[in-house]
Amino acid sequence: MIGVEVPCCSHVAMPTRGEAQALAAFVEGNPLSGDWMVDIDAPSKRLVSWSGTMASELFGDDPRTWMRAGQERFAAFLDEITPALRHHQRTLCFRPHHRHVLGDVHASVKLLRERADRPFEVLLSPADMIAPSMMNCLDDHLERMFTHLGEAACAVLLCDIVATAETAENGLFSPCPLGEGLLPAPLLARLLRDHVPATTPIIFFPGNIEAQRASVGM
């Protein structure tokens, strides 16, 4: 964690109502790459980051990420950054992704259980955890995500996914505002009601926020 001039973060989550205080600062990069940095001047004490990959590209497909090498590197990263987070009174919130070391519900719950006394959190971001191969059982996967992470997550990031010309080749969807893609908004609305506490912040992608809120009954 160092002080750098720009950029302090890639995005900032702000409330649409009430006090204008930053909920979270999103930082880019790969924590497992060895050159990941966080700016201590980011405008929130909650820093949101990917958990990282062993691949050379941030969303590359590298099986080592889920094997012993990736697990050990991630554990070492957590141990290394914990003192700095505590010193600067920051919390590191991981945004799971199906290509990263925190790629599914099991890995996310495991982190929260094993590092319960550390300054780490998990963001429930269903769209990031959905791979094209999961679409045949999409409803089941979403149900499982909310059942196990709905109460444990510090916030929920609601966005949608669309297939592009590259999806069949690279195995990745592209994110878009909620209601403009493949995810079933009525199911998400029910899962929010059933599994997410009313006090848990809901984060939307920029663009027509009111329409996105309305799509899940907010």
Side-chain angles (χ1 to χ4, degrees):
M1 302 183 76
I2 62 173
V4 295
E5 292 185 0
V6 291
C8 66
C9 56
S10 59
H11 300 84
V12 177
M14 298 288 295
T16 56
R17 302 165 185 169
E19 184 179 358
Q21 182 176 359
L23 168 70
F26 287 68
V27 297
E28 294 295 331
N30 178 10
L32 305 190
S33 66
D35 58 3
W36 182 86
M37 294 185 299
V38 171
D39 186 356
I40 59 174
D41 293 325
S44 175
K45 290 186 178 297
R46 174 181 288 124
L47 307 170
V48 178
S49 169
W50 304 109
S51 58
T53 174
M54 298 290 284
S56 58
E57 298 181 356
L58 184 58
F59 299 107
D61 188 6
D62 190 330
R64 296 178 302 159
T65 300
W66 308 287
M67 300 172 68
R68 182 174 179 178
Q71 297 298 319
E72 290 182 347
R73 184 174 295 187
F74 184 58
F77 166 76
L78 297 177
D79 290 338
E80 180 180 357
I81 200 171
T82 293
L85 290 171
R86 285 176 169 164
H87 176 74
H88 293 289
Q89 298 182 321
R90 297 293 196 274
T91 299
L92 184 57
C93 174
F94 289 108
R95 179 180 176 180
H97 189 279
H98 64 89
R99 286 278 177 87
H100 291 170
V101 66
L102 292 188
D104 56 20
V105 169
H106 173 75
S108 300
V109 171
K110 182 173 181 286
L111 168 73
L112 294 174
R113 182 178 64 249
E114 295 183 350
R115 305 272 177 165
D117 61 337
R118 307 294 179 90
F120 301 117
E121 298 174 318
V122 169
L123 185 71
L124 172 52
S125 182
D128 293 315
M129 301 169 73
I130 296 294
S133 61
M134 300 165 66
M135 291 302 293
N136 288 338
C137 300
L138 177 60
D139 290 8
D140 290 341
H141 287 295
L142 291 173
E143 187 87 39
R144 185 166 181 265
M145 291 175 193
F146 278 85
T147 298
H148 293 282
L149 287 176
E151 291 191 10
C154 67
V156 179
L157 174 61
L158 284 184
C159 67
D160 219 323
I161 50 176
V162 293
T164 67
E166 292 77 32
T167 297
E169 180 178 351
N170 64 21
L172 296 169
F173 288 120
S174 290
C176 65
L178 190 65
E180 298 181 9
L182 302 172
L183 298 187
L187 174 59
L188 292 176
R190 179 181 67 78
L191 294 174
L192 283 171
R193 292 194 303 268
D194 291 350
H195 301 291
V196 178
T199 54
T200 299
I202 309 297
I203 303 172
F204 295 96
F205 262 31
N208 205 348
I209 298 296
E210 290 307 315
Q212 294 187 70
R213 290 170 59 96
S215 71
V216 286
M218 295 181 62

